């Protein structure tokens, strides 16, 4: 049914869950045995079955950084039967952003000590005038600050299509091309999550420090004693890395390996999500954060500088409200610098999650109680709200009555909510197809050629012989990974049938079809993916446009807007 590899070792997820609890590579000498049993039982018998996965790396800290528990569940490598342990590396995705924020703050404090916290609100153009960096309008370019970059408040539209396709070789190219990204709103007026802003921040930190982002990152890991964690590299050979959790997607309780070469797409955006970290090392990182820059008696980053990270930089609307007194809910309030700010049942809750198919991660800090919880999985999709586990562990540690029952109720509610989201997405796609299939087909000869985008790179549409249909078809190629056959379904709309392992990204999110579309109108190509209640435009490309014909500075000298 699915274009899997010809030789795949298949594993029953249910079988793995039933045969494995926590593995032998765990430490729990500081946790109350009853609480440990409660956590293990919840993970093995409730959380993992609800998420339809079987793997997890877990670390829990409390008080002044005491490591309560660090362990792993399931397999890092199912083929070789290598278990997940507390020194197994998991890709933590966007949780990496808090590390990048620490690096930037550390560099700014060292290079501009007299400015104090004002350095975050000083225009970057004043701090490093020589930086080859600008936006698509003059005002934003001249006034943007590091606080803007690290708090997602530049209001530049998110552009993740290059993360899927991997059309660029370096992060420097991403930084340069940001100048052609469109604005979504006025600077500092809204929270607009944007991975590329962290790539920019990381590269600029390297420029200020006369170093590289990778070197600054490695220095931080060394200072924190995170000696078993590392950034993704192009040269990584996953087959010879038994300490690294291999990626899998799950379909009908069967697990399949993901092409590990696709994980290397993140290398050009490492500052936004490229850290492979172990549960033990993340335990050290949580101690560092909870103790405001101190680890093992060493003040790695000044305490007052660390406090900058959790100051609200931009407001976020609460996601959910209570409907009964018994409910214990997470309510987001703001975003700091590389960290989300929320409250859980009224208590301060500092958090960040991360996802890069199929890895999912949650980092949770409860500063008042000095509790930190980290966990990550190397399987997808997760059919659950992953924060259920962190709040359950927190409730269990502080002695909340009926913590298990409350978590079970939330798991059940989330299953219903996810089912509704899937149904809504199907409705959106059906409506889109009905509308476009009723329109006559356009002359396909006019769509062939090379299309370009200043921010996203180049796409080509051409004719190619299709061995499966034994005929010539329309083919789209973009970067290393986005290759697809285009089938006209009416008017200027085309259905994309993937011709690369990028389909595994969809499998890892529970989409067994990989539905995607493209429209071509008057020389403009638009890629569309279903997202919630809309078909989201992932990026527009213009026929005949390439980087060498675009203006180096995209705004006129006497204007505030794009040229």
């Amino acid at each position: 049914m699915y274009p899997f590899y010809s030789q795949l070792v298949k594993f029953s997820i249910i079988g793995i869950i039933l045969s494995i609890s926590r593995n032998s590579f765990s430490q729990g000498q500081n946790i109350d045995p009853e609480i440990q049993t409660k956590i293990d039982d919840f993970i093995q018998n409730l959380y993992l079955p609800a998420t339809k996965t079987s793997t997890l790396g877990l670390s829990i800290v409390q008080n002044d950084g005491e490591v309560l528990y660090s362990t792993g569940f399931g397999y890092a490598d199912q083929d070789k039967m290598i278990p997940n342990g507390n020194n197994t590396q998991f890709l933590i995705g966007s949780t990496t952003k808090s590390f990048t924020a620490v690096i930037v703050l550390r560099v700014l404090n060292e290079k501009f000590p007299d400015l104090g916290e004002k350095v975050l609100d000083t225009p970057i153009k004043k701090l490093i005038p020589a930086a080859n960096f600008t936006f698509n309008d003059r005002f934003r370019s001249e006034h943007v600050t590091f606080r803007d970059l690290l708090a997602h408040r530049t209001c530049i539209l998110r552009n993740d299509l290059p993360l899927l396709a991997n059309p660029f070789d370096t992060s420097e190219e991403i930084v340069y091309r940001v100048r052609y990204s469109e604005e979504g709103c006025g600077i500092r007026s809204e929270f607009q999550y944007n991975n590329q802003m962290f790539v920019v921040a990381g590269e600029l930190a390297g420029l200020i420090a006369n170093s590289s982002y990778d070197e600054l990152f490695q220095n931080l890991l060394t200072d924190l004693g995170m000696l078993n964690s590392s950034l993704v590299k192009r040269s990584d050979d996953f087959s010879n890395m038994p300490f690294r959790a291999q990626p899998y997607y799950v379909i009908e309780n069967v697990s399949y390996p993901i092409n590990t070469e696709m994980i290397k797409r993140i290398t050009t955006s490492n500052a936004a999500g490229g850290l492979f970290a172990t549960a033990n090392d993340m335990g050290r990182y949580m101690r560092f954060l909870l103790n405001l820059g101190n680890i093992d008696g060493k003040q790695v980053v000044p305490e007052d500088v660390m406090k900058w990270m959790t100051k609200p930089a931009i407001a976020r609307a609460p996601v959910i409200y209570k409907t009964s007194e018994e409910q214990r809910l997470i309510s987001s309030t703001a975003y700091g610098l590389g960290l989300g700010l929320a409250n859980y049942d009224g208590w301060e809750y500092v958090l960040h999650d991360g996802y890069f198919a199929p890895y999912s991660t949650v980092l949770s800090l409860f500063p008042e109680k000095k509790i930190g919880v980290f966990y990550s999985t190397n399987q997808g999709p997760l059919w659950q709200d992953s924060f259920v586990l962190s709040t359950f562990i927190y409730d269990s540690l502080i002695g909340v009555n009926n913590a298990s029952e409350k978590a079970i109720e939330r798991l059940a509610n989330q299953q219903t909510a996810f089912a509704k989201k899937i149904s809504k997405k199907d409705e959106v796609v059906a409506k889109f197809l009905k509308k476009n299939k009723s329109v006559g087909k356009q002359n396909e000869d006019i769509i062939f050629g090379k299309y370009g985008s200043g921010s996203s790179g180049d796409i080509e549409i051409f004719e190619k012989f299709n061995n499966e249909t034994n005929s010539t078809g329309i083919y789209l190629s973009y970067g290393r990974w986005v290759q697809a056959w285009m089938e006209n379904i009416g008017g200027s709309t085309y259905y994309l049938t993937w011709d690369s392992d990028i389909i595994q990204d969809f499998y890892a999110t529970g989409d067994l079809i990989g539905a995607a579309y493209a429209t071509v109108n008057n020389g403009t190509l638009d890629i569309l993916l279903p997202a919630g209640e809309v078909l989201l435009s992932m990026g527009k490309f213009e026929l005949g446009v390439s980087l060498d014909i675009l203006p180096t500075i995209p705004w006129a000298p006497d204007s505030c807007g794009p040229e």
Side-chain angles (χ1 to χ4, degrees), residues 66-265:
E66 177 186 12
V67 178
L68 294 185
Y69 194 29
S70 181
T71 191
F73 295 79
Y75 289 109
D77 189 317
Q78 297 178 8
D79 187 18
K80 299 176 182 177
M81 303 295 283
I82 299 174
N84 280 319
N86 51 28
N87 279 320
T88 300
Q89 288 187 346
F90 291 85
L91 183 62
I92 68 170
S94 288
T95 310
T96 307
K97 289 180 172 65
S98 63
F99 286 84
T100 299
V102 171
I103 289 169
V104 170
L105 299 190
R106 193 181 191 187
V107 168
L108 293 178
N109 181 64
E110 291 174 354
K111 296 298 181 180
F112 306 98
D114 295 338
L115 290 177
E117 189 178 354
K118 292 180 180 178
V119 70
L120 289 172
D121 302 307
T122 301
I124 293 172
K125 285 294 186 183
K126 289 186 178 180
L127 295 176
I128 39 176
N132 185 16
F133 156 70
T134 188
F135 285 118
N136 74 342
D137 66 275
R138 179 180 177 182
F139 183 86
R140 203 179 320 249
S141 302
E142 294 179 350
H143 292 84
V144 71
T145 67
F146 275 104
R147 197 188 300 274
D148 296 326
L149 297 181
L150 299 176
H152 298 296
R153 62 183 205 181
T154 62
C155 248
I156 293 295
L157 286 178
R158 183 173 182 170
N159 180 19
D160 288 340
L161 191 57
L163 265 179
L164 293 176
N166 198 204
F168 309 133
D169 293 324
T170 66
S171 53
E172 289 87 353
E173 185 169 1
I174 292 176
V175 173
Y176 181 85
R177 286 179 176 270
V178 159
R179 68 191 61 203
Y180 303 112
S181 295
E182 298 179 15
E183 70 170 1
C185 52
I187 186 171
R188 304 179 191 128
S189 64
E190 292 181 18
F191 177 83
Q192 287 260 355
Y193 197 88
N194 193 316
N195 287 302
Q196 293 181 332
M197 296 304 105
F198 273 77
V199 178
V200 171
E203 289 300 308
L204 293 178
L207 181 62
I208 292 172
N210 194 27
S211 181
S212 68
Y213 172 79
D214 286 5
E215 184 176 0
L216 293 173
F217 203 106
Q218 186 56 54
N219 291 342
L220 177 62
L221 292 181
T222 300
D223 290 344
L224 297 182
M226 296 180 64
L227 304 181
N228 294 310
S229 300
S230 59
L231 291 170
V232 184
K233 298 180 178 63
R234 290 273 190 198
S235 59
D236 284 351
D237 180 1
F238 280 62
S239 64
N240 289 317
M241 304 176 91
F243 50 84
R244 179 168 287 182
Q246 304 297 302
Y248 298 90
Y249 60 87
V250 179
I251 297 177
E252 296 179 354
N253 294 323
V254 179
S255 184
Y256 303 87
I258 281 179
N259 184 346
T260 56
E261 287 299 305
M262 292 210 302
I263 306 302
K264 299 178 186 179
R265 292 175 295 177

Side-chain angles (χ1 to χ4, degrees), residues 15 65 126 218 227 289 300 310 315 318 326 344 373 394 431 506:
K126 289 186 178 180
Q218 186 56 54
L227 304 181
L289 292 176
V300 177
T310 52
E326 293 75 23
Y344 176 58
V373 181
Y394 171 77
K431 185 177 180 180
F506 293 86

Side-chain angles (χ1 to χ4, degrees), residues 328-360:
R328 294 170 63 78
L329 299 179
I330 298 171
S331 180
S332 64
T333 56
Y335 197 87
L337 305 179
L339 288 169
L341 309 179
N343 70 72
Y344 176 58
D345 196 41
W347 291 100
E348 181 184 8
Y349 183 19
V350 178
L351 67 159
H352 213 294
D353 58 351
Y355 179 78
F356 193 83
Y359 300 91
S360 292

Side-chain angles (χ1 to χ4, degrees), residues 297-498:
K298 178 184 177 182
Q299 196 70 40
V300 177
V301 178
E303 182 176 319
D304 60 329
V305 174
M306 289 299 296
K307 290 180 179 179
W308 300 350
M309 292 185 68
T310 52
K311 282 189 176 181
I314 190 161
R316 299 182 67 187
V319 175
I320 192 171
Y321 298 95
K322 295 182 75 165
T323 57
S324 71
E325 288 297 330
E326 293 75 23
Q327 283 183 301
R328 294 170 63 78
L329 299 179
I330 298 171
S331 180
S332 64
T333 56
Y335 197 87
L337 305 179
L339 288 169
L341 309 179
N343 70 72
Y344 176 58
D345 196 41
W347 291 100
E348 181 184 8
Y349 183 19
V350 178
L351 67 159
H352 213 294
D353 58 351
Y355 179 78
F356 193 83
Y359 300 91
S360 292
T361 295
V362 172
L363 171 69
S364 297
L365 304 171
F366 303 90
E368 292 300 319
K369 301 292 186 180
K370 285 292 186 76
I371 291 174
V373 181
F374 162 84
Y375 48 93
S376 188
T377 181
N378 54 318
Q379 289 180 328
L382 279 184
W383 296 101
Q384 268 301 333
D385 175 357
S386 52
F387 290 98
V388 171
L389 181 55
S390 57
T391 53
F392 163 76
I393 291 173
Y394 171 77
D395 285 348
S396 299
L397 291 174
I398 67 172
V400 172
N401 291 330
N402 302 320
S404 297
E405 288 78 1
K406 294 179 185 297
I408 291 171
E409 180 183 1
R410 190 172 177 189
L411 286 173
N413 291 339
Q414 287 298 323
Q415 285 178 330
T416 302
F418 276 101
K420 288 181 178 179
K421 286 183 179 180
I422 294 173
S423 176
K424 190 64 178 179
K425 184 181 77 170
D426 292 343
E427 290 177 14
V428 169
V429 171
K431 185 177 180 180
F432 174 79
L433 293 177
K434 182 178 180 180
K435 175 183 176 182
N436 286 279
K437 284 186 176 180
S438 64
V439 182
K441 296 182 179 180
Q442 68 177 2
N443 181 359
E444 294 175 343
D445 291 339
I446 66 173
I447 74 170
F448 298 127
K450 293 183 178 180
Y451 295 73
S453 161
S455 59
S456 299
D458 303 322
I459 284 183
E460 186 173 5
I461 298 176
F462 53 94
E463 285 188 307
K464 182 178 178 179
F465 188 79
N466 189 332
N467 291 321
E468 290 188 6
T469 63
N470 198 34
S471 62
T472 299
I474 306 173
Y475 200 77
L476 178 149
S477 182
Y478 172 44
R480 292 176 174 85
W481 294 102
V482 172
Q483 285 82 41
W485 296 100
M486 299 175 64
E487 177 189 354
N488 190 288
I489 59 174
S492 59
T493 303
Y494 296 79
Y495 180 79
L496 301 182
T497 300
W498 300 111

